[in-house]
Amino acid sequence: MSVALYPGSFDPVTYGHLDIIERAARVFDRVVVAVLGNPRKAPLFGEEERVAAIREAVATECAPIADRVEVATFDGLTVEFARRRGADFIVRGLRAVSDFESELQMAHTNRKMGPDVDTVFFMTALEHSYLSSSLVKEIAQLGGDVTGMVPAAVERRLAARARSV
Ligand code: ADP
């Protein structure tokens, strides 16, 4: 059985991420979405909320593949977590050339630490190429409309956050 780990901050999950999850599920038998507990930048949403939003979004918007997608949190080395989950592959998404440099460096570093775990890249879908979690947070915090950028599970959580500040 082929297992792929899709690591990221997912703060919050966007349609760009969901598209990568769906496409990875066409290639691999199981996709483990690995939510980084403590990303470098302080996250807007806690890890439990980020996990809950991904689970809800996958269940409602990616129903045909939902039973092959698992969502978990992790801290520490990605390759170590991949090994623990039996994943031979790490999945990442590439949007623009600007993503390439850091992704290349990360892929080489992970390969050095875990030659048995390879990184596979999916090019962003054209309609999601502009999307990033930070952009979505900024729009929502300024009272803008994020319809079509994030699943309903995230829209609701962003609106609740905006009301509470
Ligand atoms: P990180 O903090 O590790 O960059 P993100 O949650 O921002 O985590 O992204 C996780 C992965 O998903 C990264 O490989 C990123 O390039 C990819 N990704 C983010 N947004 C999109 C998008 N709109 N289209 C395709 N891939 C994306």
Side-chain angles (χ1 to χ4, degrees):
M1 190 177 67
S2 60
V3 183
L5 191 82
Y6 180 30
S9 313
F10 304 104
D11 183 41
V13 67
T14 69
Y15 277 125
H17 296 126
L18 279 190
D19 175 62
I20 301 291
I21 294 170
E22 277 188 314
R23 288 160 62 197
R26 275 194 225 135
V27 177
F28 303 102
D29 296 317
R30 287 197 72 75
V31 177
V32 180
V33 183
V35 178
L36 192 54
N38 294 302
R40 265 182 236 161
K41 264 196 297 179
L44 176 66
F45 294 105
E47 57 185 325
E48 291 312 320
E49 211 169 355
R50 283 180 278 145
V51 167
I54 300 169
R55 287 201 179 124
E56 198 180 319
V58 169
T60 54
E61 314 217 13
C62 317
I65 53 130
D67 60 334
R68 294 190 292 111
V69 177
E70 192 190 323
V71 188
T73 56
F74 82 109
D75 274 303
L77 293 178
T78 308
V79 282
E80 284 300 325
F81 191 61
R83 283 202 193 105
R84 264 192 274 145
R85 289 298 172 129
D88 290 329
F89 302 95
I90 291 171
V91 160
R92 296 284 289 176
L94 283 178
R95 280 162 296 192
V97 179
S98 50
D99 278 343
F100 183 79
E101 216 167 314
S102 58
E103 290 293 342
L104 178 73
Q105 189 181 26
M106 187 130 59
H108 282 318
T109 309
N110 283 334
R111 194 95 195 282
K112 179 81 182 158
M113 289 186 295
D116 48 326
V117 182
D118 215 340
T119 305
V120 175
F121 293 98
F122 286 85
M123 299 298 159
T124 181
L126 196 56
E127 67 268 35
H128 303 313
S129 56
Y130 69 97
L131 264 178
S132 74
S133 298
S134 35
L135 185 82
V136 161
K137 282 184 283 193
E138 211 173 313
I139 296 170
Q141 275 161 4
L142 294 171
D145 184 5
V146 291
T147 309
M149 299 181 192
V150 290
V154 171
E155 266 191 64
R156 222 180 44 242
R157 286 174 168 85
L158 283 170
R161 276 302 157 107
R163 279 196 303 273
S164 71
V165 289

